Amino acid sequence: MKLHSGFVKLVILLLVTTLYGQLVAPFARSFGSTEAYYLFNKGLLAVLLVAYVVVTGQARAAGLTGSSRLATLPVYWPLFLLTVLLMLAPTTPPDAQTLMLFAGVAVSVGIAEELMFRGLVFHWFRDQTVRRQILISALAFGGAHLFGLLVTDAVAVILAQSVFASAVGAVIACARARDDSIWLPISVHAGFDFVALTAAGGIGGALADTPETVLRLLVSGLLIWLWAAWLIWRAPRHVPAPA
């Protein structure tokens, strides 16, 4: 049986981005904080991905052009609810410079991850049903977070993060299936990450190796998956493939 070309491209993409992460990892000590390193890492990755998509002529198909449909905003309601809950949590507000750093990290991650999983993956599997597109995108997104095991021994946190990421990815993919552009998914993704980083005081706080972190990620991930499952069940079989 012939393997779908999209899966081949997806595996290559994951391997290349993982190799990229390993190549830039030695530079981590050159930065003053984990967030500064992430800004360099994810920012450069976002630039490289955008350049690849534009040079290969996949910009329109991957959603870099086209108009966003604000009518898809209700699909994101679990993420908006989590964002509000994070904003209501008692925290010590960081200074303006740190907030700008968090914003840079959030935007870089949003562009890189949405372009990969709701842009390229959707394009590569455009011949499949919408349900398959959503599930492939979500599971690939969750699976990609397992590569965090290469840089940390916090196994439980990484596994829980993968479950949470797949759920969030499923919801965003359901919205993306109704949209011609990935800019709204990027905005929602970046906004959520920015609030999460601010509430936790940084990446270390957001992914602290504690039972509370694992429980929070698992419970919220499973609840979000319930909403995503409903959306996937109601998804149409096909949408017109982009030219």
Side-chain angles (χ1 to χ4, degrees), residues 34-61:
T34 302
E35 288 73 28
Y37 165 67
Y38 261 72
L39 179 58
F40 162 75
N41 184 335
K42 300 302 182 180
L44 178 58
L45 178 60
V47 170
L48 292 174
L49 284 169
V50 170
Y52 164 74
V53 169
V54 172
V55 169
T56 56
Q58 300 179 82
R60 180 175 180 274

Side-chain angles (χ1 to χ4, degrees), residues 112-171:
E113 294 185 348
E114 292 308 314
L115 186 53
M116 287 173 63
F117 297 101
R118 262 68 66 180
L120 289 172
V121 171
F122 257 70
H123 171 45
W124 292 339
F125 291 93
R126 64 193 180 279
D127 62 328
Q128 301 296 301
T129 65
V130 176
R131 294 174 182 176
R132 288 182 181 177
Q133 280 183 298
I134 293 170
L135 287 172
I136 292 170
S137 171
L139 295 177
F141 186 50
H145 283 73
L146 293 176
F147 288 111
L149 294 172
L150 296 174
V151 295
T152 179
D153 56 0
V155 177
V157 172
I158 295 299
L159 292 178
Q161 183 193 21
S162 180
V163 172
F164 178 80
S166 66
V168 171
V171 170

Side-chain angles (χ1 to χ4, degrees), residues 4 15 19 33 66 75 78 97 129 143 150 162 167 170 173 175 198 227 239:
H4 192 286
L15 290 176
L19 177 61
S33 66
V75 174
Q97 183 177 357
T129 65
L150 296 174
S162 180
T198 303
W227 171 243
V239 293

Side-chain angles (χ1 to χ4, degrees), residues 149-214:
L149 294 172
L150 296 174
V151 295
T152 179
D153 56 0
V155 177
V157 172
I158 295 299
L159 292 178
Q161 183 193 21
S162 180
V163 172
F164 178 80
S166 66
V168 171
V171 170
I172 298 179
C174 288
R176 168 70 173 103
R178 309 178 185 192
D179 208 333
D180 294 329
S181 170
I182 61 168
W183 289 108
L184 188 55
I186 287 173
S187 300
V188 173
H189 190 153
F192 176 79
D193 281 358
F194 173 71
V195 173
L197 287 173
T198 303
I203 295 172
L207 296 176
D209 188 9
T210 64
E212 290 77 11
T213 300
V214 174

